[in-house]
Amino acid sequence: MTKKGVRNAVITCAIIMIIITVLAWAILAEPWKEPELSEKIFTICETNDSIKISDITDFEWDIAYIDKQAYGTGQELQEKGIEGNFQKLETDCLCRVAFCKGNKMVYELILNESYVFIDDSITEITQETILLIKKKIDEYGEHYELTLM
């Protein structure tokens, strides 16, 4: 191969590597992606004393059901007539918030209750529900507890 051929091959490889790098960054970094709802809730908990979930959701819903069944599969919600593909809760510190429009789940939020704990007395959240945020510090660290206002 001539020097010119080698130079063209190196330039071509360099261009291909640059394109692959830019595409990989664009796909993996997802700079345009909105923060997850759980991240939004945690951020609000850090700086506020109450939260209205409907103020931070960007999808339509009527009611949200809280499912705290350890290692739950959503069976209790399905028995209530809620349709959806429910994730299995893989540990006993996970909580499911199933946002529903009618009887169809439109968004499933999985919260780690080691960070944000929803009071056990809360079984449903409506568009108007306002939750109080209490910062708790114990032997396990810092977390937030959401209770009815």
Side-chain angles (χ1 to χ4, degrees):
M1 186 180 278
T2 66
K3 287 184 182 182
K4 186 177 182 179
V6 170
R7 190 178 103 229
N8 286 343
V10 168
I11 291 172
T12 301
C13 285
I15 291 171
I16 290 172
M17 290 303 293
I18 290 170
I19 291 170
I20 289 172
T21 302
V22 168
L23 287 175
W25 178 82
I27 291 169
L28 298 176
E30 298 181 0
W32 61 87
K33 187 177 177 185
E34 281 285 313
E36 295 283 331
L37 184 55
S38 59
E39 294 169 16
K40 288 180 183 179
I41 291 171
F42 188 77
T43 300
I44 288 171
C45 286
E46 291 178 315
T47 58
N48 294 276
D49 58 3
S50 67
I51 184 172
K52 188 174 180 184
I53 301 294
S54 61
D55 288 345
I56 60 169
T57 53
D58 59 358
F59 50 87
E60 288 189 39
W61 59 282
D62 302 320
I63 192 164
Y65 297 99
I66 312 299
D67 177 10
K68 292 187 158 208
Q69 184 181 8
Y71 304 97
T73 60
Q75 180 178 353
E76 287 182 7
L77 295 173
Q78 290 172 331
E79 289 171 1
K80 286 183 179 183
I82 305 302
E83 299 172 12
N85 295 320
F86 300 98
Q87 296 179 46
K88 182 175 191 265
L89 301 179
E90 297 294 337
T91 71
D92 58 357
C93 65
L94 295 179
C95 166
R96 175 189 342 272
V97 182
F99 291 89
C100 301
K101 181 83 172 163
N103 67 337
K104 220 175 205 128
M105 182 177 68
V106 294
Y107 189 92
E108 182 180 40
L109 170 65
I110 306 296
L111 283 177
N112 184 331
E113 291 199 310
S114 299
Y115 302 105
V116 178
F117 176 81
I118 299 175
D119 186 75
D120 291 337
S121 67
I122 303 171
T123 58
E124 299 176 355
I125 297 172
T126 67
Q127 292 274 337
E128 282 71 45
T129 302
I130 297 174
L131 301 170
L132 287 176
I133 300 168
K134 295 179 186 172
K135 184 177 183 177
K136 302 280 186 167
I137 299 174
D138 57 23
E139 68 271 14
Y140 303 110
E142 182 178 290
H143 60 276
Y144 300 95
E145 185 175 319
L146 304 179
T147 58
L148 286 174
M149 185 167 222

